[in-house]
Amino acid sequence: MERARFDKARIFAFGDARSIATYSAEILIIAGIYGGLAESARLIPAINSTGTTLWPPTGLALALVLLRGYRIWPAILLGAVSPYLMADRSFLEFGAAGIGSLLAAFAGTQLIDRWSNGRETFATPSGVVKFAVVSFAPTTIISSTIALAGFALANESSVADSVVAGVTWWLADAAAALVIAPLIVLWAAMPLRIHSTWKLLESIAVPALAAIIGIVAYSPLVGTDLISTDLDVLLPHRGLLGFLILLPLIWAGLRGDRCTVSTAAFIFVGMAVWGFSVGNDPFPKLDPNGALLSLLVLSIIVSAPPLALAAAIATRQTTEVHLLSVQDQLNGQLERKALALDSIRRHFQTLIEGVVDYAIFALDREGHVTSWNSTAQKIIGYSSEEIIGKHFGILYRPDERRAGSPAHALETAIERGRYDVEGWRIRKNGTPFFITGSVSSSHDDAGNLIGFISILRDATERRDAEEKLVQAREQLAMSQKMEAIGKLTGGIAHDFNNLLMIIGGSAQIFTRLLDPKLPKAIEAIQTAAKRGESLTRQLLTFSRHQHLSPTVVDLNASIKNMRTMIESSLRGNIVYNENVGEGVASVKVDLAELELAIVNIAVNARDAMPSGGTFTLSVHAVTANQETGGDRRAKAFFAIALGDTGTGIPPHLLSKMFDPFFTTKEVGKGTGLGLSQVYGFAHQAGGTVTADSKVGQGTTITIYLPSSADEQTATKDLAAAKARPKQPQRQTVLVVDDSPEVADVTSSLFEHLGYETIYRDSAEAALKLLDAGTRIDLVFSDIVMPGTIDGVGLAREVRSRYPGLPIALTTGYSDAANAAPPNLKILRKPFDTEALRDFIQDLAPPRSARSSVVPLASNTTDALRRH
């Protein structure tokens, strides 16, 4: 650390010592030069008869302070007093001379720095003028006044003599300052750069020519052995040749060479001073004041004006060079901007050409097309050559053009900056297309409108897709509405079937009482029950929750077997035509539901032809498509077309004809569920149904059913089933239902068929009875029951615990039936004795599950008792 500090201190000390030595050497050199020039003034007694130091050191002092600053004052003071010391003059004289020169230089430098850019004062004509003014006053006035005051005090001269001497010194000192100071400042401040050989030759030739002119005009060498006297004889007024100095000075001034001008002026004035010192023409010794005045005027003329001219030309040249440089820069920037603009234009064109979904084109302030991208040509059809220059209103429909829509679009874009457009436009080929986009106004930096930019997109496909989406949503809403109605009707039918079961069953019990007063009432009850059963059947079929028993049937043969039933549904004034093929058309349907659907359509056709007509039924094979609906996996469908020649259905009602409870018939002549049953049956069978109608021409309803050609056609001999012999042994049936009233009716029907019954109100109670060992031959249970186990769960438990015990289920409607295994038989409510007999005969012959451990009840009351 100490070593570092020592080294650093030594470096600083060395630096300070070197600076002091440099400064000292500078002071000594300048003082020597200054003192030498001051001493040389004593060689010109005509100018400096008193031997003062005012000429030329004041101009030199001013130049040195301008160049080196105020720090150079010791050199000026030392150089100014040194001649006096060597001449053994008084302290007052050399002190006044030194202080006068120093103060004059300081004052002149201060004014020039503040008023005329310091050392750069010779760069402009005004700066040269300001320097000349400062040199005359106060610079040389200060120096001459102080020096003269010291000289007068030291020599005790008169005031008049002092004034005359002071004016002489002032003028001489001012002229010397105008000649010497510019020369020193310009050569010291300006860099020495030779731009060309011609410039170098000019710099040498002009001072040389000035020297030659000065020698010829003023030099005492003319008339000596060096220069012949013949020239003096030929040119008696050779001093007039001095005016030739203007030629080289003006030449150098026009070239803007200030250094050459100041050098030539210094040399020429030096020649004139030489001639003045010996009294040559035009400086005769007989008139020293006139000669001195001529010399001063000559010095001012050859120094200040040419220098001002050179400064003006130099300023102009510098300005021209600067302007040329700026112009080059601007040209370069303009070229770069042009290249950048061209690049941006190419990129922008590439960009807009790369936009494949949008038509982009520019418009002028009147709406005429000025640019057109390839996508616009692709979408609209016009090429750039065809559309550019035309008004963009050509894209509008004629009615929109007449209404002023194009002008309105531009006005709105100007007012709001942007106008969103959406509507139909016309392609070149005349076809309309739907567009979306905008028209935007474009302004320059000053806010002036320069045009418009239009961006359009072909939204025809999107609009078509939106319309299809709306249709799909409407269809979905229709489907959801039908689903909601189906669930509602299914729920209503479930409870209504239980009521019908009680009514129908009770009516059958009444018939067995054989009371002669009851037959008519019983018949009315049974008729109402049948109508209620048909109603709930239609409701359940529409809601697609009807429990079906589909089998593979021959559609052609089945429809032929329905002929009598269909004809009986029509009137005598209606002709029935049937177009059914002979081949096997296999479909898997519930045959009873199919018959009901066809009869419902026939009844509607009959009511639509009050004055008679034709009802046609045809069957033909079709391929699955969007119209057939249903199961798309089916390779083929069979279409059952049922047409009439009736009044037809208006278009606004055609979409509602399958809605439940919708009817155009009079009150009391229709429930509005006939076609709803057809709709539900077709969809539950895996197909669909469509309707086509024209007012006054009739209606055609087509049912599409999927083909089941790969499945074996089933036959059912109902007569043989009904002819099966009854079980010889009286068997026991366990009836399970949460409704005691329904259970009473069901037990009564079983007992009418020769069975004994035991009743339980829940699945849990039924399982307890079986676990107790009671002999049961058949379990007959409702599906929907309270508790943790419903009818389907009871069937699973019975089959698991007692595999040989038959079990059957019954329901009016229940989603739980969908979870039942396929081999589990389900009887629809309401049912009568015949339906129950057929259902039991389809089951396997009941067998006892186990030996009875509980004695059987011997009468109905015991059978219905609850455990």
Side-chain angles (χ1 to χ4, degrees), residues 726-747:
K726 296 181 180 180
Q727 295 295 332
Q729 183 180 0
R730 189 175 178 87
Q731 297 183 346
T732 304
V733 178
L734 174 60
V735 178
V736 185
D737 200 308
D738 61 315
S739 175
E741 293 81 4
V742 176
D744 287 342
V745 174
T746 303
S747 299

Side-chain angles (χ1 to χ4, degrees), residues 229-521:
T229 58
D230 296 337
L231 182 62
D232 196 14
V233 175
L234 292 175
L235 297 175
H237 302 288
R238 61 186 178 94
L240 297 177
L241 294 176
F243 288 102
L244 294 177
I245 191 61
L246 294 178
L247 296 178
L249 289 177
I250 292 175
W251 174 266
L254 292 176
R255 301 289 291 175
D257 192 350
R258 290 166 293 173
C259 291
T260 302
V261 168
S262 62
T263 303
F266 177 78
I267 294 175
F268 181 77
V269 171
M271 295 295 104
V273 170
W274 188 13
F276 174 81
S277 63
V278 296
N280 287 345
D281 188 60
F283 311 113
K285 292 183 179 180
L286 298 177
D287 187 10
N289 293 329
L292 181 60
L293 182 60
S294 299
L295 179 62
L296 294 176
V297 172
L298 179 66
S299 301
I300 294 172
I301 291 174
V302 300
S303 60
L307 185 59
L309 175 63
I313 299 301
T315 301
R316 179 179 177 180
Q317 291 176 346
T318 304
T319 304
E320 288 179 352
V321 171
H322 177 69
L323 291 177
L324 290 174
S325 176
V326 172
Q327 184 179 7
D328 292 340
Q329 293 178 1
L330 292 177
N331 290 336
Q333 292 179 0
L334 183 61
E335 184 177 357
R336 290 192 296 272
K337 294 293 184 183
L339 292 175
L341 181 61
D342 185 61
S343 177
I344 292 173
R345 186 182 294 109
R346 289 197 302 270
H347 291 166
F348 177 73
Q349 191 67 26
T350 303
L351 175 63
I352 64 173
E353 293 296 337
V355 178
V356 297
D357 293 334
Y358 291 90
I360 303 175
F361 53 93
L363 309 173
D364 60 14
R365 290 182 296 178
E366 287 74 28
H368 298 93
V369 179
T370 58
S371 69
W372 189 260
N373 75 333
S374 59
T375 305
Q377 178 177 348
K378 178 180 177 183
I379 294 176
I380 304 176
Y382 294 99
S383 64
S384 299
E385 294 76 11
E386 294 173 330
I387 194 66
I388 290 179
K390 293 184 178 181
H391 198 274
F392 84 113
I394 194 175
L395 308 179
Y396 284 77
R397 301 194 309 269
D399 60 322
E400 291 179 323
R401 290 198 294 269
R402 289 192 297 271
S405 296
H408 173 70
L410 297 183
E411 292 173 358
T412 306
I414 294 174
E415 180 181 353
R416 302 179 183 176
R418 174 188 173 97
Y419 175 69
D420 294 326
V421 296
E422 180 174 309
W424 292 97
R425 295 291 183 270
I426 304 300
R427 289 190 173 95
K428 177 185 176 181
N429 58 11
T431 59
F433 67 105
F434 193 82
I435 59 97
T436 60
S438 64
V439 177
S440 302
S441 59
S442 180
H443 300 79
D444 57 16
D445 295 337
N448 299 316
L449 178 68
I450 60 177
F452 303 88
I453 299 295
S454 181
I455 302 175
L456 303 178
R457 184 177 185 180
D458 186 357
T460 308
E461 294 183 359
R462 191 199 73 182
R463 182 178 175 86
D464 293 341
E466 289 177 351
E467 291 179 352
K468 292 180 181 179
L469 179 60
V470 171
Q471 295 176 359
R473 287 176 176 173
E474 291 177 353
Q475 293 176 357
L476 177 61
M478 181 66 179
S479 176
Q480 292 174 341
K481 179 180 71 173
M482 302 294 274
E483 182 69 21
I485 295 174
K487 291 182 179 181
L488 175 63
T489 55
I492 295 173
H494 170 253
D495 294 335
F496 195 49
N497 273 330
N498 284 337
L499 299 177
L500 293 175
M501 185 67 193
I502 297 172
I503 295 171
S506 299
Q508 291 186 20
I509 294 174
F510 290 161
T511 59
R512 295 198 298 271
L513 298 178
L514 301 177
D515 189 339
K517 298 180 181 180
L518 297 177
K520 185 174 282 190

Side-chain angles (χ1 to χ4, degrees), residues 214-229:
I215 291 172
V216 172
Y218 308 122
S219 172
L221 295 177
V222 176
T224 62
D225 295 336
L226 185 61
I227 299 177
S228 174
T229 58

